[in-house]
Amino acid sequence: MAPQLRPAEPDRLSRDALFSMLRNERRREVINYLRDREGPVDLRELSEHVAAIENDCAPDEVTYKQRKRVQTALYQMHLPKLADRDIVDYDRRAGRVALADGAEACLAYLDAVTDRERGDWWRRYLVVAAAVTVPVALAAAGVPPFAAVPGLGYAVLASGLFAAVSVAQALDER
């Protein structure tokens, strides 16, 4: 019996190659931005968006220098790499970028790690810690009415606040 040849499968990204592509924050932001758009976007618009994230400001507050720095990196390095792996369709001449079929493999990984709201939970825990530390410090210094509350009262308050924030985080991340 002669061996049967299977048709070659199209090149798919290995997991290592995919992680290599997603290792760079700019490339992740490009994919996230494009997934929310119906069609191709202008390179300038995309660069402005990424620059706004990197500089923690609104897109209309991005300076020319900030946008140009990002645009140059996207144009020369990131978009060609993503296009080579069929993650984006990149028309260099027209300066237009859109998601390609290969982007589908990236989306599950991006969904798992890029939820910005989840990254802010440390701030909530810090507020709770401050809300407990200040009254305890005032009580230790003997400042009324804080000194009148027993230590157990502050322990119950701290435990309750941290439990409430933990439950809120667990519900949010479901």
Side-chain angles (χ1 to χ4, degrees), residues 76-156:
Q76 292 179 349
M77 182 175 40
H78 300 299
L79 294 176
K81 280 186 178 186
L82 291 169
D84 286 346
R85 296 297 188 156
D86 194 39
I87 296 171
V88 300
D89 288 323
Y90 175 41
D91 183 346
R92 235 181 165 146
R93 284 186 185 196
R96 306 288 286 166
V97 186
L99 279 186
D101 293 336
E104 196 65 37
C106 302
L107 300 181
Y109 294 105
L110 291 176
D111 287 341
V113 295
T114 59
D115 187 352
R116 294 196 187 286
E117 288 299 313
R118 292 182 187 172
D120 290 340
W121 280 101
W122 67 269
R123 287 186 176 102
R124 294 176 178 117
Y125 285 101
L126 190 60
V127 167
V128 169
V132 172
T133 302
V134 170
V136 169
L138 292 172
V143 176
F146 299 101
V149 178
L152 181 60
Y154 288 115
V156 169

Side-chain angles (χ1 to χ4, degrees), residues 36-104:
D36 296 332
R37 304 298 178 275
E38 285 296 316
V41 299
D42 185 66
L43 178 58
R44 178 187 171 107
E45 174 188 339
L46 178 61
S47 302
E48 200 169 76
H49 171 78
V50 173
I53 290 170
E54 289 180 3
N55 293 286
D56 197 26
C57 64
D60 60 342
E61 296 172 350
V62 171
T63 66
Y64 171 81
K65 189 175 182 178
Q66 291 168 333
R67 181 188 54 78
K68 198 64 177 170
R69 186 182 74 241
V70 170
Q71 185 171 334
T72 301
L74 291 178
Y75 179 84
Q76 292 179 349
M77 182 175 40
H78 300 299
L79 294 176
K81 280 186 178 186
L82 291 169
D84 286 346
R85 296 297 188 156
D86 194 39
I87 296 171
V88 300
D89 288 323
Y90 175 41
D91 183 346
R92 235 181 165 146
R93 284 186 185 196
R96 306 288 286 166
V97 186
L99 279 186
D101 293 336
E104 196 65 37

